[in-house]
DNA sequence: ACATAATATTAGCCAAGGCTAAATTTATTC
DNA sequence: GAATAAATTTAGCCTTGGCTAATATTATGT
Protein backbone atom coordinates (compact mmCIF):
# COMPACT_ATOMS: atom_id res chain seq x y z
CA UNK A 1 0.00 0.00 0.00
CA UNK A 2 2.68 2.46 0.95
CA UNK A 3 6.14 1.62 -0.35
CA UNK A 4 6.05 4.02 -3.33
CA UNK A 5 7.49 1.69 -5.94
CA UNK A 6 11.18 1.94 -6.78
CA UNK A 7 12.05 2.39 -10.42
CA UNK A 8 14.84 0.54 -12.15
CA UNK A 9 16.80 3.71 -12.38
CA UNK A 10 16.46 4.42 -8.69
CA UNK A 11 17.61 0.92 -7.90
CA UNK A 12 20.64 1.38 -10.09
CA UNK A 13 21.59 4.58 -8.34
CA UNK A 14 21.13 3.03 -4.92
CA UNK A 15 23.28 0.11 -5.86
CA UNK A 16 25.99 2.32 -7.29
CA UNK A 17 26.08 4.56 -4.24
CA UNK A 18 26.21 1.56 -1.99
CA UNK A 19 29.15 0.09 -3.83
CA UNK A 20 31.05 3.34 -3.90
CA UNK A 21 30.46 3.90 -0.23
CA UNK A 22 31.92 0.50 0.50
CA UNK A 23 35.25 1.84 -0.62
CA UNK A 24 35.20 5.50 0.23
CA UNK A 25 32.62 6.19 2.90
CA UNK A 26 30.80 8.74 0.77
CA UNK A 27 29.95 9.13 -2.89
CA UNK A 28 30.54 12.10 -5.05
CA UNK A 29 28.40 12.67 -8.12
CA UNK A 30 31.40 12.18 -10.31
CA UNK A 31 31.90 8.65 -9.02
CA UNK A 32 28.30 7.85 -9.68
CA UNK A 33 28.63 9.13 -13.23
CA UNK A 34 31.50 6.82 -13.86
CA UNK A 35 29.85 3.84 -12.27
CA UNK A 36 26.60 4.17 -14.16
CA UNK A 37 27.86 5.70 -17.34
CA UNK A 38 25.61 8.68 -17.24
CA UNK A 39 26.30 12.39 -17.36
CA UNK A 40 26.57 14.68 -14.38
CA UNK A 41 23.22 16.39 -14.85
CA UNK A 42 21.51 13.04 -14.83
CA UNK A 43 23.11 12.28 -11.52
CA UNK A 44 22.07 15.58 -10.01
CA UNK A 45 18.54 14.98 -11.06
CA UNK A 46 18.57 11.46 -9.69
CA UNK A 47 20.04 12.57 -6.38
CA UNK A 48 17.26 15.04 -5.91
CA UNK A 49 14.77 12.30 -6.46
CA UNK A 50 16.56 9.89 -4.15
CA UNK A 51 16.68 12.53 -1.46
CA UNK A 52 13.01 13.22 -1.90
CA UNK A 53 12.28 9.52 -1.58
CA UNK A 54 14.24 9.49 1.63
CA UNK A 55 17.01 7.25 0.37
CA UNK A 56 19.99 9.56 0.47
CA UNK A 57 21.34 12.49 2.44
CA UNK A 58 22.14 15.08 -0.12
CA UNK A 59 22.68 18.81 -0.28
CA UNK A 60 23.89 20.64 -3.37
CA UNK A 61 27.65 20.36 -3.77
CA UNK A 62 27.76 17.96 -0.88
CA UNK A 63 28.79 14.38 -0.45
CA UNK A 64 26.21 11.65 -0.69
CA UNK A 65 25.38 9.04 1.91
CA UNK A 66 22.56 6.56 2.23
CA UNK A 67 19.86 6.96 4.83
CA UNK A 68 18.84 3.85 6.76
CA UNK A 69 16.01 3.33 4.31
CA UNK A 70 18.39 3.80 1.42
CA UNK A 71 20.83 1.37 2.94
CA UNK A 72 18.12 -1.20 3.34
CA UNK A 73 16.88 -0.80 -0.20
CA UNK A 74 20.40 -0.85 -1.59
CA UNK A 75 21.29 -4.01 0.27
CA UNK A 76 18.24 -5.63 -1.13
CA UNK A 77 19.25 -4.77 -4.68
CA UNK A 78 22.78 -5.95 -4.05
CA UNK A 79 21.49 -9.21 -2.67
CA UNK A 80 19.48 -9.81 -5.79
CA UNK A 81 22.33 -8.76 -8.00
CA UNK A 82 24.87 -11.03 -6.40
CA UNK A 83 22.51 -13.95 -6.22
CA UNK A 84 21.63 -13.73 -9.88
CA UNK A 85 25.20 -13.16 -10.84
CA UNK A 86 26.25 -16.28 -8.95
CA UNK A 87 23.57 -18.23 -10.65
CA UNK A 88 24.74 -17.17 -14.06
CA UNK A 89 28.34 -17.96 -13.32
CA UNK A 90 27.96 -21.15 -11.34
CA UNK A 91 24.99 -22.72 -13.02
CA UNK A 92 25.13 -21.48 -16.57
CA UNK A 93 28.85 -20.87 -16.84
CA UNK A 94 28.62 -17.27 -17.99
CA UNK A 95 31.77 -15.24 -17.44
CA UNK A 96 31.86 -12.85 -14.49
CA UNK A 97 31.67 -9.62 -16.42
CA UNK A 98 28.72 -10.54 -18.54
CA UNK A 99 27.03 -12.26 -15.63
CA UNK A 100 27.17 -9.03 -13.69
CA UNK A 101 25.86 -7.00 -16.60
CA UNK A 102 23.04 -9.42 -17.09
CA UNK A 103 22.19 -9.65 -13.40
CA UNK A 104 22.00 -5.89 -13.40
CA UNK A 105 19.14 -6.02 -15.80
CA UNK A 106 17.42 -9.09 -14.41
CA UNK A 107 17.42 -7.82 -10.85
CA UNK A 108 14.89 -5.13 -11.64
CA UNK A 109 12.32 -7.07 -13.54
CA UNK A 110 12.01 -10.46 -11.92
CA UNK A 111 9.73 -10.83 -8.93
CA UNK A 112 11.61 -11.24 -5.65
CA UNK A 113 10.32 -14.70 -4.92
CA UNK A 114 11.42 -15.93 -8.31
CA UNK A 115 14.82 -14.38 -7.81
CA UNK A 116 15.00 -16.37 -4.60
CA UNK A 117 14.36 -19.45 -6.65
CA UNK A 118 17.35 -18.67 -8.81
CA UNK A 119 19.45 -18.21 -5.73
CA UNK A 120 18.19 -21.37 -4.11
CA UNK A 121 18.87 -23.31 -7.23
CA UNK A 122 22.39 -22.08 -7.39
CA UNK A 123 23.01 -23.10 -3.80
CA UNK A 124 21.25 -26.38 -4.25
CA UNK A 125 23.32 -27.39 -7.21
CA UNK A 126 26.52 -26.46 -5.48
CA UNK A 127 25.77 -28.33 -2.29
CA UNK A 128 23.99 -31.20 -3.81
CA UNK A 129 25.86 -34.38 -4.43
CA UNK A 130 22.90 -35.75 -6.28
CA UNK A 131 24.80 -34.99 -9.38
CA UNK A 132 28.54 -35.15 -9.15
CA UNK A 133 30.98 -32.39 -9.99
CA UNK A 134 30.79 -33.91 -13.45
CA UNK A 135 27.50 -32.22 -13.87
CA UNK A 136 28.72 -28.73 -14.52
CA UNK A 137 31.47 -29.81 -16.85
CA UNK A 138 29.10 -31.93 -18.82
CA UNK A 139 26.72 -29.08 -19.13
CA UNK A 140 29.40 -26.78 -20.44
CA UNK A 141 30.27 -29.33 -23.05
CA UNK A 142 26.62 -29.79 -23.88
CA UNK A 143 26.07 -26.05 -24.14
CA UNK A 144 29.02 -25.42 -26.38
CA UNK A 145 27.96 -28.20 -28.65
CA UNK A 146 24.54 -26.60 -28.92
CA UNK A 147 26.13 -23.28 -29.45
CA UNK A 148 28.10 -24.51 -32.41
CA UNK A 149 25.03 -25.62 -34.29
CA UNK A 150 23.03 -22.52 -33.60
CA UNK A 151 22.50 -19.40 -35.61
CA UNK A 152 21.39 -17.51 -32.52
CA UNK A 153 24.00 -14.85 -31.89
CA UNK A 154 26.37 -13.16 -34.22
CA UNK A 155 28.68 -13.72 -31.31
CA UNK A 156 31.79 -12.23 -32.91
CA UNK A 157 34.58 -14.55 -31.98
CA UNK A 158 33.08 -17.44 -30.03
CA UNK A 159 36.29 -19.33 -30.61
CA UNK A 160 36.41 -20.89 -27.20
CA UNK A 161 32.91 -21.03 -25.79
CA UNK A 162 33.45 -18.90 -22.66
CA UNK A 163 33.76 -15.19 -22.34
CA UNK A 164 32.52 -14.26 -25.77
CA UNK A 165 33.01 -10.48 -25.65
CA UNK B 1 25.66 -2.61 -38.75
CA UNK B 2 22.18 -2.31 -40.22
CA UNK B 3 19.45 -4.09 -38.23
CA UNK B 4 18.03 -0.92 -36.61
CA UNK B 5 17.58 -2.25 -33.06
CA UNK B 6 14.21 -3.49 -31.90
CA UNK B 7 12.79 -2.00 -28.72
CA UNK B 8 11.11 -4.01 -26.02
CA UNK B 9 7.81 -2.55 -26.94
CA UNK B 10 8.21 -3.46 -30.57
CA UNK B 11 9.09 -7.00 -29.59
CA UNK B 12 5.99 -7.21 -27.44
CA UNK B 13 3.79 -6.08 -30.29
CA UNK B 14 5.40 -8.49 -32.71
CA UNK B 15 4.93 -11.34 -30.31
CA UNK B 16 1.32 -10.43 -29.66
CA UNK B 17 0.49 -10.14 -33.32
CA UNK B 18 2.16 -13.43 -34.02
CA UNK B 19 0.18 -15.20 -31.34
CA UNK B 20 -3.09 -13.71 -32.45
CA UNK B 21 -2.44 -14.61 -36.05
CA UNK B 22 -1.87 -18.19 -35.01
CA UNK B 23 -5.52 -18.40 -34.15
CA UNK B 24 -7.25 -16.04 -36.51
CA UNK B 25 -5.03 -15.38 -39.52
CA UNK B 26 -5.03 -11.65 -39.00
CA UNK B 27 -4.96 -9.32 -36.03
CA UNK B 28 -7.22 -6.46 -35.33
CA UNK B 29 -6.05 -3.59 -33.13
CA UNK B 30 -8.63 -4.52 -30.58
CA UNK B 31 -7.13 -7.97 -30.11
CA UNK B 32 -3.74 -6.45 -29.64
CA UNK B 33 -5.11 -4.11 -27.00
CA UNK B 34 -6.46 -7.00 -25.06
CA UNK B 35 -3.35 -9.09 -25.38
CA UNK B 36 -0.99 -6.36 -24.24
CA UNK B 37 -3.25 -4.45 -21.93
CA UNK B 38 -2.81 -1.15 -23.65
CA UNK B 39 -5.31 1.31 -25.07
CA UNK B 40 -6.33 1.56 -28.68
CA UNK B 41 -4.39 4.72 -29.46
CA UNK B 42 -1.23 3.08 -28.23
CA UNK B 43 -1.81 0.26 -30.64
CA UNK B 44 -2.42 2.56 -33.56
CA UNK B 45 0.77 4.39 -32.82
CA UNK B 46 2.71 1.17 -32.49
CA UNK B 47 1.31 -0.21 -35.72
CA UNK B 48 2.49 2.82 -37.59
CA UNK B 49 5.93 2.29 -36.21
CA UNK B 50 5.92 -1.42 -36.98
CA UNK B 51 4.80 -0.70 -40.52
CA UNK B 52 7.54 1.84 -40.90
CA UNK B 53 10.09 -0.66 -39.67
CA UNK B 54 8.81 -3.07 -42.24
CA UNK B 55 7.44 -5.60 -39.80
CA UNK B 56 3.74 -5.42 -40.50
CA UNK B 57 1.36 -4.81 -43.34
CA UNK B 58 -0.97 -2.17 -42.09
CA UNK B 59 -3.34 0.38 -43.50
CA UNK B 60 -5.71 2.46 -41.41
CA UNK B 61 -8.82 0.52 -40.50
CA UNK B 62 -7.31 -2.55 -41.99
CA UNK B 63 -6.30 -5.92 -40.68
CA UNK B 64 -2.76 -6.52 -39.59
CA UNK B 65 -0.41 -9.19 -40.87
CA UNK B 66 3.28 -9.72 -40.44
CA UNK B 67 5.71 -9.20 -43.28
CA UNK B 68 8.38 -11.84 -43.76
CA UNK B 69 10.77 -9.72 -41.71
CA UNK B 70 8.12 -9.31 -39.04
CA UNK B 71 7.47 -13.01 -39.02
CA UNK B 72 11.13 -13.74 -38.60
CA UNK B 73 11.55 -11.27 -35.79
CA UNK B 74 8.40 -12.48 -34.08
CA UNK B 75 9.46 -16.08 -34.23
CA UNK B 76 12.72 -15.15 -32.68
CA UNK B 77 10.98 -13.46 -29.78
CA UNK B 78 8.64 -16.39 -29.36
CA UNK B 79 11.57 -18.77 -29.34
CA UNK B 80 13.20 -16.84 -26.54
CA UNK B 81 9.96 -16.53 -24.68
CA UNK B 82 9.15 -20.20 -24.78
CA UNK B 83 12.66 -21.26 -23.99
CA UNK B 84 12.85 -19.06 -20.94
CA UNK B 85 9.40 -20.02 -19.87
CA UNK B 86 10.30 -23.69 -20.06
CA UNK B 87 13.38 -23.05 -18.05
CA UNK B 88 11.42 -21.35 -15.33
CA UNK B 89 8.85 -24.10 -15.18
CA UNK B 90 11.04 -27.14 -15.61
CA UNK B 91 14.16 -26.08 -13.80
CA UNK B 92 12.97 -23.66 -11.16
CA UNK B 93 9.46 -24.99 -10.73
CA UNK B 94 7.67 -21.70 -11.30
CA UNK B 95 4.03 -22.02 -12.26
CA UNK B 96 3.09 -21.57 -15.91
CA UNK B 97 1.40 -18.25 -15.62
CA UNK B 98 4.10 -16.50 -13.71
CA UNK B 99 6.77 -18.19 -15.77
CA UNK B 100 5.25 -16.71 -18.88
CA UNK B 101 4.98 -13.25 -17.34
CA UNK B 102 8.56 -13.42 -16.22
CA UNK B 103 9.85 -14.77 -19.51
CA UNK B 104 8.10 -11.86 -21.17
CA UNK B 105 10.32 -9.46 -19.35
CA UNK B 106 13.51 -11.51 -19.47
CA UNK B 107 13.32 -12.12 -23.19
CA UNK B 108 14.01 -8.47 -23.99
CA UNK B 109 16.94 -7.79 -21.76
CA UNK B 110 19.13 -10.87 -21.77
CA UNK B 111 21.65 -11.29 -24.56
CA UNK B 112 20.68 -13.96 -27.07
CA UNK B 113 23.62 -16.21 -26.37
CA UNK B 114 22.87 -16.19 -22.67
CA UNK B 115 19.25 -16.99 -23.36
CA UNK B 116 20.51 -19.96 -25.34
CA UNK B 117 22.35 -21.05 -22.24
CA UNK B 118 19.14 -21.03 -20.28
CA UNK B 119 17.52 -23.09 -22.96
CA UNK B 120 20.40 -25.51 -23.17
CA UNK B 121 20.39 -25.92 -19.45
CA UNK B 122 16.75 -26.72 -19.42
CA UNK B 123 17.20 -29.36 -22.09
CA UNK B 124 20.32 -30.71 -20.47
CA UNK B 125 18.68 -31.22 -17.13
CA UNK B 126 15.70 -32.91 -18.67
CA UNK B 127 17.72 -35.32 -20.77
CA UNK B 128 20.50 -35.87 -18.37
CA UNK B 129 20.47 -38.89 -16.15
CA UNK B 130 23.48 -37.61 -14.31
CA UNK B 131 21.10 -36.65 -11.62
CA UNK B 132 18.07 -38.79 -11.24
CA UNK B 133 14.46 -37.69 -11.47
CA UNK B 134 14.88 -37.15 -7.77
CA UNK B 135 16.79 -34.03 -8.54
CA UNK B 136 13.90 -31.77 -9.37
CA UNK B 137 11.79 -32.96 -6.47
CA UNK B 138 14.60 -32.48 -4.07
CA UNK B 139 15.15 -28.99 -5.34
CA UNK B 140 11.52 -28.10 -4.90
CA UNK B 141 11.70 -29.28 -1.34
CA UNK B 142 14.92 -27.39 -0.83
CA UNK B 143 13.44 -24.24 -2.32
CA UNK B 144 10.26 -24.32 -0.32
CA UNK B 145 12.26 -24.77 2.84
CA UNK B 146 14.24 -21.67 1.94
CA UNK B 147 11.11 -19.91 0.98
CA UNK B 148 9.46 -20.47 4.32
CA UNK B 149 12.10 -18.45 6.08
CA UNK B 150 11.95 -15.57 3.63
CA UNK B 151 9.99 -12.38 3.62
CA UNK B 152 10.34 -12.20 -0.15
CA UNK B 153 7.25 -11.07 -2.07
CA UNK B 154 3.90 -9.61 -1.43
CA UNK B 155 3.39 -10.83 -4.95
CA UNK B 156 0.11 -8.96 -5.50
CA UNK B 157 -0.12 -10.96 -8.74
CA UNK B 158 -0.51 -7.98 -11.09
CA UNK B 159 -2.79 -9.85 -13.37
CA UNK B 160 -1.30 -9.02 -16.70
CA UNK B 161 2.17 -7.63 -17.01
CA UNK B 162 1.96 -4.10 -18.27
CA UNK B 163 0.38 -0.95 -17.02
CA UNK B 164 0.45 -1.12 -13.26
CA UNK B 165 1.08 2.63 -13.31
C1' DA C 1 -31.19 2.13 -45.11
C1' DC C 2 -30.54 4.25 -41.15
C1' DA C 3 -29.71 4.63 -36.12
C1' DT C 4 -26.75 2.95 -32.90
C1' DA C 5 -22.91 0.52 -31.32
C1' DA C 6 -18.32 -0.82 -31.79
C1' DT C 7 -13.69 0.11 -33.51
C1' DA C 8 -10.00 2.98 -35.00
C1' DT C 9 -7.67 7.13 -35.49
C1' DT C 10 -6.11 11.79 -34.42
C1' DA C 11 -4.57 15.27 -31.49
C1' DG C 12 -2.40 16.41 -27.73
C1' DC C 13 -0.75 15.57 -22.90
C1' DC C 14 2.39 13.41 -19.47
C1' DA C 15 6.35 11.16 -16.96
C1' DA C 16 10.71 9.07 -16.82
C1' DG C 17 15.15 9.53 -17.64
C1' DG C 18 18.47 10.42 -20.49
C1' DC C 19 21.25 14.48 -22.94
C1' DT C 20 23.92 19.29 -24.12
C1' DA C 21 25.14 23.91 -23.18
C1' DA C 22 25.73 27.32 -20.00
C1' DA C 23 26.29 29.00 -15.34
C1' DT C 24 27.95 28.35 -10.91
C1' DT C 25 30.58 26.63 -7.18
C1' DT C 26 34.63 24.46 -5.23
C1' DA C 27 39.62 23.06 -5.65
C1' DT C 28 44.15 23.71 -7.10
C1' DT C 29 48.25 25.91 -8.36
C1' DC C 30 51.48 29.52 -8.95
C1' DG D 1 45.09 35.38 -3.22
C1' DA D 2 44.17 35.36 -8.17
C1' DA D 3 43.66 32.53 -12.13
C1' DT D 4 42.61 28.40 -13.91
C1' DA D 5 40.79 23.85 -13.68
C1' DA D 6 37.47 20.59 -12.14
C1' DA D 7 33.11 19.39 -10.40
C1' DT D 8 28.33 20.43 -9.89
C1' DT D 9 24.08 22.41 -10.90
C1' DT D 10 20.50 24.72 -13.79
C1' DA D 11 17.85 25.20 -17.71
C1' DG D 12 15.88 23.30 -21.22
C1' DC D 13 15.46 19.81 -24.93
C1' DC D 14 14.44 15.04 -26.73
C1' DT D 15 12.61 10.33 -27.18
C1' DT D 16 9.81 6.48 -25.81
C1' DG D 17 5.64 4.85 -24.94
C1' DG D 18 1.97 5.13 -22.40
C1' DC D 19 -2.73 7.90 -21.60
C1' DT D 20 -7.60 10.64 -22.39
C1' DA D 21 -10.85 13.05 -25.10
C1' DA D 22 -12.67 13.87 -29.28
C1' DT D 23 -13.43 12.47 -33.99
C1' DA D 24 -14.09 9.44 -37.73
C1' DT D 25 -15.02 5.14 -39.69
C1' DT D 26 -17.06 0.61 -40.05
C1' DA D 27 -20.55 -2.91 -38.51
C1' DT D 28 -24.93 -4.27 -36.81
C1' DG D 29 -29.80 -4.66 -35.87
C1' DT D 30 -34.32 -3.71 -37.10
Amino acid sequence: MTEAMISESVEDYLEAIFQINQQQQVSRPKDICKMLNVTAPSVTKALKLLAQLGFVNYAPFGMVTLTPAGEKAAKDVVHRHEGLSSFLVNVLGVDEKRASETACKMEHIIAPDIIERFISYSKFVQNSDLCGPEFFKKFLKFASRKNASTKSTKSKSSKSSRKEQ
Side-chain angles (χ1 to χ4, degrees), chain A:
Chain A
M1 301 303 163
T2 50
E3 288 295 293
M5 192 186 72
I6 304 182
S7 72
E8 296 191 15
S9 159
V10 163
E11 287 191 339
D12 282 338
Y13 280 100
L14 285 173
E15 193 175 11
I17 292 166
F18 183 85
Q19 313 267 26
I20 293 165
N21 288 7
Q22 295 277 77
Q23 301 198 307
Q24 5 179 309
Q25 318 302 340
V26 297
S27 301
R28 287 171 315 162
K30 194 202 167 186
D31 303 317
I32 302 171
C33 290
K34 243 182 291 177
M35 176 104 14
L36 293 179
N37 257 292
V38 294
T39 59
S42 301
V43 171
T44 300
K45 197 189 272 190
L47 287 174
K48 283 179 180 169
L49 175 59
L50 290 182
Q52 194 184 306
L53 294 173
F55 290 141
V56 301
N57 303 116
Y58 165 72
F61 300 97
M63 305 275 99
V64 179
T65 57
L66 293 168
T67 62
E71 181 103 2
K72 181 165 173 288
K75 277 180 174 158
D76 194 67
V77 179
V78 169
H79 165 74
R80 281 178 272 145
H81 182 101
E82 303 200 322
L84 288 169
S85 206
S86 284
F87 173 91
L88 291 167
V89 169
N90 298 320
V91 178
L92 298 189
V94 175
D95 70 274
E96 290 273 2
K97 183 162 173 297
R98 298 194 67 217
S100 186
E101 289 167 9
T102 304
C104 204
K105 295 183 252 163
M106 291 173 70
E107 73 200 20
H108 305 301
I109 59 163
I110 305 178
D113 62 318
I114 293 181
I115 292 184
E116 292 306 320
R117 287 256 162 163
F118 276 95
I119 297 173
S120 290
Y121 192 86
S122 188
K123 286 181 188 160
F124 179 71
V125 166
Q126 291 189 289
N127 295 354
S128 180
D129 39 333
L130 276 175
C131 45
E134 298 302 297
F135 195 67
F136 185 60
K137 275 188 195 158
K138 293 237 179 174
F139 168 62
L140 288 187
K141 198 175 288 178
F142 180 80
S144 61
R145 231 183 305 133
K146 284 274 164 189
N147 225 22
S149 66
T150 294
K151 73 303 165 64
S152 65
T153 321
K154 339 66 186 328
S155 165
K156 323 175 119 225
S157 63
S158 94
K159 50 171 38 174
S160 70
S161 64
R162 278 260 190 148
K163 141 72 117 353
E164 54 268 347
Q165 131 80 219

